[in-house]
Short mmCIF file of all heavy atoms in Angstrom, two decimals:
data_model
loop_
_atom_site.label_atom_id
_atom_site.label_comp_id
_atom_site.label_asym_id
_atom_site.label_seq_id
_atom_site.Cartn_x
_atom_site.Cartn_y
_atom_site.Cartn_z
N TYR A 1 0.84 -1.20 0.00
CA TYR A 1 0.00 0.00 0.00
C TYR A 1 0.87 1.25 0.00
O TYR A 1 0.66 2.18 -0.77
CB TYR A 1 -0.93 -0.02 1.22
CG TYR A 1 -1.62 1.30 1.46
CD1 TYR A 1 -2.56 1.80 0.56
CD2 TYR A 1 -1.31 2.05 2.59
CE1 TYR A 1 -3.18 3.03 0.78
CE2 TYR A 1 -1.92 3.27 2.80
CZ TYR A 1 -2.86 3.75 1.90
OH TYR A 1 -3.46 4.97 2.12
N GLN A 2 1.89 1.29 0.85
CA GLN A 2 2.78 2.45 0.92
C GLN A 2 3.49 2.70 -0.40
O GLN A 2 3.76 3.84 -0.76
CB GLN A 2 3.82 2.27 2.03
CG GLN A 2 3.23 2.37 3.42
CD GLN A 2 4.28 2.19 4.48
OE1 GLN A 2 5.05 1.23 4.46
NE2 GLN A 2 4.33 3.12 5.41
N LEU A 3 3.80 1.64 -1.13
CA LEU A 3 4.49 1.76 -2.42
C LEU A 3 3.54 2.06 -3.57
O LEU A 3 3.98 2.30 -4.69
CB LEU A 3 5.27 0.48 -2.72
CG LEU A 3 6.45 0.17 -1.81
CD1 LEU A 3 7.00 -1.22 -2.12
CD2 LEU A 3 7.53 1.22 -1.93
N GLY A 4 2.23 2.02 -3.30
CA GLY A 4 1.25 2.28 -4.36
C GLY A 4 0.92 1.05 -5.19
O GLY A 4 0.25 1.16 -6.22
N ILE A 5 1.38 -0.12 -4.78
CA ILE A 5 1.06 -1.36 -5.49
C ILE A 5 -0.40 -1.72 -5.23
O ILE A 5 -1.09 -2.22 -6.11
CB ILE A 5 2.00 -2.50 -5.06
CG1 ILE A 5 3.46 -2.14 -5.42
CG2 ILE A 5 1.59 -3.83 -5.69
CD1 ILE A 5 4.50 -3.05 -4.79
N ALA A 6 -0.86 -1.46 -4.01
CA ALA A 6 -2.26 -1.69 -3.63
C ALA A 6 -2.93 -0.35 -3.37
O ALA A 6 -2.29 0.61 -2.94
CB ALA A 6 -2.31 -2.55 -2.37
N LYS A 7 -4.24 -0.30 -3.61
CA LYS A 7 -5.00 0.94 -3.41
C LYS A 7 -5.39 1.17 -1.96
O LYS A 7 -5.71 2.28 -1.56
CB LYS A 7 -6.25 0.92 -4.28
CG LYS A 7 -5.96 0.97 -5.77
CD LYS A 7 -7.25 0.91 -6.58
CE LYS A 7 -6.98 0.95 -8.06
NZ LYS A 7 -6.52 -0.31 -8.61
N SER A 8 -5.36 0.10 -1.15
CA SER A 8 -5.66 0.21 0.28
C SER A 8 -4.89 -0.89 1.01
O SER A 8 -4.41 -1.84 0.39
CB SER A 8 -7.16 0.06 0.55
OG SER A 8 -7.55 -1.29 0.45
N VAL A 9 -4.80 -0.77 2.32
CA VAL A 9 -4.11 -1.77 3.12
C VAL A 9 -4.84 -3.11 3.03
O VAL A 9 -4.24 -4.17 3.09
CB VAL A 9 -4.01 -1.31 4.60
CG1 VAL A 9 -3.40 -2.38 5.47
CG2 VAL A 9 -3.21 -0.04 4.69
N ASP A 10 -6.16 -3.04 2.89
CA ASP A 10 -6.97 -4.26 2.85
C ASP A 10 -7.03 -4.91 1.47
O ASP A 10 -7.51 -6.03 1.35
CB ASP A 10 -8.38 -3.96 3.34
CG ASP A 10 -8.39 -3.56 4.80
OD1 ASP A 10 -7.61 -4.14 5.58
OD2 ASP A 10 -9.15 -2.65 5.16
N GLU A 11 -6.53 -4.21 0.44
CA GLU A 11 -6.52 -4.81 -0.89
C GLU A 11 -5.43 -5.87 -0.94
O GLU A 11 -4.26 -5.60 -0.67
CB GLU A 11 -6.27 -3.75 -1.97
CG GLU A 11 -6.33 -4.33 -3.35
CD GLU A 11 -6.02 -3.31 -4.45
OE1 GLU A 11 -5.33 -2.31 -4.16
OE2 GLU A 11 -6.46 -3.53 -5.56
N LYS A 12 -5.82 -7.07 -1.26
CA LYS A 12 -4.89 -8.20 -1.27
C LYS A 12 -4.39 -8.43 -2.68
O LYS A 12 -5.05 -9.07 -3.50
CB LYS A 12 -5.57 -9.46 -0.73
CG LYS A 12 -6.20 -9.29 0.64
CD LYS A 12 -5.18 -8.90 1.69
CE LYS A 12 -5.84 -8.74 3.05
NZ LYS A 12 -4.93 -8.32 4.07
N VAL A 13 -3.24 -7.85 -3.00
CA VAL A 13 -2.64 -7.99 -4.32
C VAL A 13 -1.19 -8.44 -4.18
O VAL A 13 -0.58 -8.28 -3.13
CB VAL A 13 -2.68 -6.65 -5.12
CG1 VAL A 13 -4.10 -6.18 -5.34
CG2 VAL A 13 -1.86 -5.58 -4.43
N ILE A 14 -0.69 -9.00 -5.25
CA ILE A 14 0.73 -9.35 -5.34
C ILE A 14 1.29 -8.54 -6.50
O ILE A 14 0.70 -8.50 -7.57
CB ILE A 14 0.92 -10.86 -5.61
CG1 ILE A 14 0.24 -11.71 -4.53
CG2 ILE A 14 2.41 -11.21 -5.73
CD1 ILE A 14 0.83 -11.57 -3.15
N GLY A 15 2.43 -7.91 -6.27
CA GLY A 15 3.05 -7.11 -7.31
C GLY A 15 3.84 -7.95 -8.29
O GLY A 15 3.89 -9.17 -8.18
N THR A 16 4.49 -7.28 -9.21
CA THR A 16 5.38 -7.96 -10.15
C THR A 16 6.57 -8.51 -9.38
O THR A 16 6.79 -8.17 -8.21
CB THR A 16 5.89 -6.97 -11.22
OG1 THR A 16 6.69 -5.97 -10.56
CG2 THR A 16 4.74 -6.32 -11.97
N ARG A 17 7.36 -9.31 -10.04
CA ARG A 17 8.56 -9.87 -9.39
C ARG A 17 9.45 -8.74 -8.84
O ARG A 17 9.94 -8.80 -7.72
CB ARG A 17 9.33 -10.74 -10.38
CG ARG A 17 10.70 -11.15 -9.87
CD ARG A 17 11.39 -12.12 -10.77
NE ARG A 17 11.12 -13.43 -10.19
CZ ARG A 17 10.73 -14.49 -10.87
NH1 ARG A 17 10.58 -14.44 -12.15
NH2 ARG A 17 10.51 -15.63 -10.26
N GLU A 18 9.63 -7.69 -9.65
CA GLU A 18 10.47 -6.55 -9.22
C GLU A 18 9.85 -5.83 -8.03
O GLU A 18 10.55 -5.45 -7.09
CB GLU A 18 10.67 -5.57 -10.39
CG GLU A 18 11.48 -6.13 -11.55
CD GLU A 18 10.68 -7.05 -12.48
OE1 GLU A 18 9.42 -7.00 -12.47
OE2 GLU A 18 11.32 -7.83 -13.21
N GLU A 19 8.54 -5.62 -8.08
CA GLU A 19 7.87 -4.95 -6.96
C GLU A 19 7.97 -5.77 -5.68
O GLU A 19 8.22 -5.23 -4.60
CB GLU A 19 6.39 -4.70 -7.31
CG GLU A 19 6.19 -3.62 -8.35
CD GLU A 19 4.77 -3.54 -8.86
OE1 GLU A 19 4.04 -4.57 -8.85
OE2 GLU A 19 4.36 -2.43 -9.28
N GLU A 20 7.81 -7.08 -5.81
CA GLU A 20 7.89 -7.95 -4.62
C GLU A 20 9.31 -7.98 -4.06
O GLU A 20 9.49 -8.13 -2.85
CB GLU A 20 7.38 -9.36 -4.95
CG GLU A 20 5.87 -9.41 -5.15
CD GLU A 20 5.08 -8.92 -3.95
OE1 GLU A 20 5.31 -9.39 -2.81
OE2 GLU A 20 4.20 -8.05 -4.15
N GLU A 21 10.32 -7.82 -4.90
CA GLU A 21 11.70 -7.70 -4.41
C GLU A 21 11.86 -6.46 -3.55
O GLU A 21 12.50 -6.49 -2.50
CB GLU A 21 12.69 -7.64 -5.59
CG GLU A 21 13.25 -8.97 -5.96
CD GLU A 21 14.31 -8.85 -7.04
OE1 GLU A 21 15.24 -8.01 -6.92
OE2 GLU A 21 14.21 -9.61 -8.01
N VAL A 22 11.27 -5.36 -4.01
CA VAL A 22 11.31 -4.11 -3.23
C VAL A 22 10.58 -4.30 -1.91
O VAL A 22 11.06 -3.89 -0.85
CB VAL A 22 10.71 -2.93 -4.04
CG1 VAL A 22 10.59 -1.68 -3.18
CG2 VAL A 22 11.55 -2.64 -5.28
N VAL A 23 9.41 -4.95 -1.95
CA VAL A 23 8.65 -5.23 -0.72
C VAL A 23 9.51 -6.04 0.24
O VAL A 23 9.60 -5.73 1.44
CB VAL A 23 7.33 -5.95 -1.05
CG1 VAL A 23 6.65 -6.45 0.23
CG2 VAL A 23 6.39 -5.04 -1.84
N SER A 24 10.18 -7.07 -0.26
CA SER A 24 11.04 -7.92 0.58
C SER A 24 12.19 -7.12 1.18
O SER A 24 12.53 -7.30 2.35
CB SER A 24 11.58 -9.10 -0.21
OG SER A 24 10.54 -9.96 -0.58
N ASN A 25 12.81 -6.25 0.39
CA ASN A 25 13.92 -5.44 0.90
C ASN A 25 13.45 -4.52 2.03
O ASN A 25 14.14 -4.38 3.05
CB ASN A 25 14.55 -4.63 -0.22
CG ASN A 25 15.36 -5.49 -1.18
OD1 ASN A 25 15.81 -6.57 -0.82
ND2 ASN A 25 15.52 -5.02 -2.40
#
């Protein structure tokens, strides 16, 4: 949500491989 991948904290989405790497970092 903070990165703008999801529109809300409750939105359950998975980003692209690159986005998920950023989330993991």
